[in-house]
Amino acid sequence: MEEPSRTVNTITEQQKRQIEGLVQELNEASRVYYNGQEEIMPNYRWDELFDQLKALEEETGYVLPDSPTVSTGYEEDNSGEKENHEYPALSLAKTKSVEELKQWAGDREVWLSWKLDGLTLVLTYDNGKLTKILTRGNGTTGTNITFLKDSLFGFPDTISYKGHLVVRGEATISYKDFAALNDMIEDDDEKYANPRNLASGTLNLDDPAEVKNRHVCFYAFTLVHMDEELVSWGERMAFLTEQGFAVVDHEKVNADTLPEAIDRWTVDVETGKMDVPVDGLVICYEDTKYAAGGSVTGHHATRAGFAFKWQDESVETKLSYVEWSCAVSTISPVAVFEPVQLEGTTVSRASLCNLSEMERLGIGEESTLEVIKANKIIPKCISARDAKGELQIPKECPVCHAPTEIRVSEKSHTKTLHCTNPSCAAKHVRKFTRFVSKNAMDIDGLSVQTVVKFINDGFIRRYGDIYRLEEHLEEIKQMEGFGEKSALNLKNAIDSRREISPIRLLYGLCIPMIGLDAAKKLLNTLGWEEFYHRLRNKTSFEDVDGIGVEKSNSILNWYGEEEHAKELEYLLEQVTLLPLERAATEGGSCKGLTFVITGDVHYYKNRDAFKEYVEAQGGKVAGSVSKKTSYLVNNDVESQSSKNKKAKELSVPIISEDRFVEMFVKE
């Protein structure tokens, strides 16, 4: 390593080795993190080691040039053309203290917004046209990915503003799209760890069509430069919205109102309302001229903004046992412990991820565990002590009892446990749960646990078996958790889905690379009869817009397997396919309109069901309010939320869900 960049105070050889080791470990984790590879360190662990490193550097004055405390990012491994940023993309100072945020705000107005968990991109416009997209890279130099401009969402190709414009924002993949894309990957070792990991890997791809299929959305979080002087940060964000950008949610506050706003925003994370991944909050000054007047300290500008990361509340509890859960082929350890209160909820289980994480924690048959909710959502074990006895790794699969084997990833050297039986029932769970999901057959009462139980009892082997579960009704009534009423409810739920949209059926078949959008493109273009005719005659689908060679081959290869062809034929005997016009509901009452849906809903089962209705009626649903929005639907019409404020600024009508039903739902 190079010589340290600061004067060294008193330092021991042990401290020196510890600092060098932490820098190496953190930088390797960052390299993987920024390049979409298999994650080797969870975020909370990275933050913990970063804090250790920072404390050691402050104590000793020994700071290496490549220390993550002074670097501004990490250069991507991809082979794209590297370019210098016109304006360096420096990091924000971070804190877990609300008091520190208040002190930073002082007596000035500030804006609160999400710290989105994706990849920062910088967009440049000249003469009203998008001319460049750079990744953040190391903050000084990024990778030019302008060739992907038609494959990303959330920003316009052209704008009405004709001057020089530079916009910085975050490219993200929603939890919903993340889950759908991961379901397409059959090899567990190739699955992505989280949406940010997937977004990073996606922007390293060379195929624009594949990038577009992954629904990467850009949210602007700051206007870096425009030729005219516009001092107000809020007005700048409003300007970006008017130009057609999706912008990060934001709310104006001050030091006095900041704590209450943070609590309110935190509830949205804790209650799972956020479909876009976030890992904290950001505040920035309303007065951008004042903000630009700060100095640069270390790897951040002192007035550019302040990032807030939630202080993880931790509790200690006693391990009861480790449950081994088999999903697809991976057998994952889950710690089951004495119930504890954490972030306002009762928690009694937490994933241990894999064998490597168990070894790192040092968990025994008996252990005292320290548990947190990472980013206020996911229970995690972060430490273990007082371990007694050696925890036994199962030698047979808990589902089919076939032998297990330990595999070590070539990329990250992570140890995972796997079932060796290719016919293990658990390996079919994902396809069946997708088949009954709300975007496919939408059958209530068939949870993952219930599907596993029915598979193990021999009730389900093929999709069509779901429609014959009534043959096992008496047995189901006797099962734990069922009874007469719930068994009949399940039968009724299945019967209500015997007439189904061909689009839902095609999506539910779990054909690799064929998600909901691809299913819509295929069937809206061809219709079911032509699609099925081509399938049976092994005729290409490449001519369908948005499908291409890879997806076409995937469909034909899937049907080319005899068991899949027979499974589809058997399924078609159990259901009736609706005409596409009927499946899309005839009237098209939302045709040509764009809606933004926010807050809780009650008429529809959830927001996805609401969105599905709008799209079936020819409308569109967007994530943020812009001048293109026809209606904002919010049951709290008088709310002071950022979306309501934006709608009022742009004179977009705000209507309740009930009013929407009155206007657009035809009984």
Side-chain angles (χ1 to χ4, degrees), residues 34 51 150 197 214 216 235 262 276 381 404 416 431 507 511 615:
Y34 279 99
D51 290 343
D150 295 327
N197 182 251
R214 295 188 178 190
V216 179
E235 289 179 7
I262 289 175
V276 178
C381 293
T404 60
T416 50
K431 77 171 190 177
Y507 170 74
I511 300 173
E615 291 178 343

Side-chain angles (χ1 to χ4, degrees), residues 76 78 80-86 119-126 129-137 141-157 165-171 203 211 216-218 245:
E76 297 93 348
N78 57 39
E81 182 182 350
K82 303 297 189 293
E83 291 189 27
N84 289 335
H85 285 294
E86 182 180 358
L119 281 91
T120 299
L121 300 180
V122 182
L123 279 56
T124 302
Y125 290 78
D126 287 293
K129 294 182 180 180
L130 175 64
T131 56
K132 187 189 301 183
I133 304 176
L134 291 183
T135 64
R136 180 173 181 266
T141 303
T143 302
N144 190 317
I145 60 167
T146 312
F147 73 99
L148 293 177
K149 67 183 180 67
D150 295 327
S151 303
L152 307 177
F153 300 86
F155 57 84
D157 285 337
L165 189 77
V166 181
V167 181
R168 199 175 294 147
E170 201 80 353
L203 294 185
V211 173
V216 179
C217 190
F218 173 89
F245 291 88

Side-chain angles (χ1 to χ4, degrees), residues 39-47 353 357 360 380:
E39 194 171 77
I40 61 175
M41 184 185 293
N43 281 345
Y44 69 85
R45 178 66 176 162
W46 198 95
D47 289 341
C353 300
E357 181 68 0
R360 186 188 75 79
K380 294 274 188 183

Side-chain angles (χ1 to χ4, degrees), residues 176-197:
K176 178 184 175 183
D177 287 330
F178 166 73
L181 287 160
N182 246 3
D183 281 347
M184 299 294 179
I185 303 172
E186 296 184 353
D187 186 348
D188 272 14
D189 291 336
E190 297 299 319
K191 290 182 183 293
Y192 289 89
N194 50 53
R196 195 238 177 262
N197 182 251

Side-chain angles (χ1 to χ4, degrees), residues 228-256:
E228 286 76 10
E229 185 174 19
L230 193 58
V231 175
S232 163
W233 186 90
E235 289 179 7
R236 286 181 168 214
M237 298 303 282
F239 169 79
L240 290 178
T241 301
E242 290 167 5
Q243 296 297 311
F245 291 88
V247 301
V248 66
D249 286 346
H250 48 281
E251 177 183 348
K252 188 187 284 188
V253 292
N254 56 42
D256 293 333

Side-chain angles (χ1 to χ4, degrees), residues 44-229:
Y44 69 85
R45 178 66 176 162
W46 198 95
D47 289 341
E48 181 182 288
L49 295 183
F50 181 90
D51 290 343
Q52 287 181 24
L53 174 63
K54 188 175 180 181
L56 277 168
E57 289 175 342
E58 289 174 353
E59 178 184 348
T60 64
Y62 184 73
V63 182
L64 294 164
D66 60 344
S67 170
T69 64
V70 295
S71 62
T72 59
Y74 202 94
E75 193 162 335
E76 297 93 348
D77 287 342
N78 57 39
S79 58
E81 182 182 350
K82 303 297 189 293
E83 291 189 27
N84 289 335
H85 285 294
E86 182 180 358
Y87 300 93
L90 301 177
S91 299
L92 299 180
K94 298 178 180 64
T95 184
K96 293 184 177 181
S97 166
V98 176
E99 282 302 316
E100 194 170 354
L101 288 184
K102 288 177 63 178
Q103 290 175 15
W104 188 84
D107 59 359
R108 294 180 175 273
E109 289 185 323
V110 294
W111 286 90
L112 179 68
S113 61
W114 295 116
K115 183 177 182 293
L116 298 179
D117 193 15
L119 281 91
T120 299
L121 300 180
V122 182
L123 279 56
T124 302
Y125 290 78
D126 287 293
N127 298 318
K129 294 182 180 180
L130 175 64
T131 56
K132 187 189 301 183
I133 304 176
L134 291 183
T135 64
R136 180 173 181 266
N138 61 13
T140 303
T141 303
T143 302
N144 190 317
I145 60 167
T146 312
F147 73 99
L148 293 177
K149 67 183 180 67
D150 295 327
S151 303
L152 307 177
F153 300 86
F155 57 84
D157 285 337
T158 59
I159 58 178
S160 60
Y161 180 72
K162 302 304 180 186
H164 182 58
L165 189 77
V166 181
V167 181
R168 199 175 294 147
E170 201 80 353
T172 67
I173 291 179
S174 72
Y175 285 116
K176 178 184 175 183
D177 287 330
F178 166 73
L181 287 160
N182 246 3
D183 281 347
M184 299 294 179
I185 303 172
E186 296 184 353
D187 186 348
D188 272 14
D189 291 336
E190 297 299 319
K191 290 182 183 293
Y192 289 89
N194 50 53
R196 195 238 177 262
N197 182 251
L198 176 59
S200 179
T202 298
L203 294 185
N204 282 335
L205 297 175
D206 293 326
D207 181 2
E210 179 57 27
V211 173
K212 189 170 186 176
N213 287 335
R214 295 188 178 190
H215 296 161
V216 179
C217 190
F218 173 89
Y219 292 90
F221 59 68
T222 190
L223 198 170
V224 181
H225 171 84
M226 64 184 302
D227 292 339
E228 286 76 10
E229 185 174 19

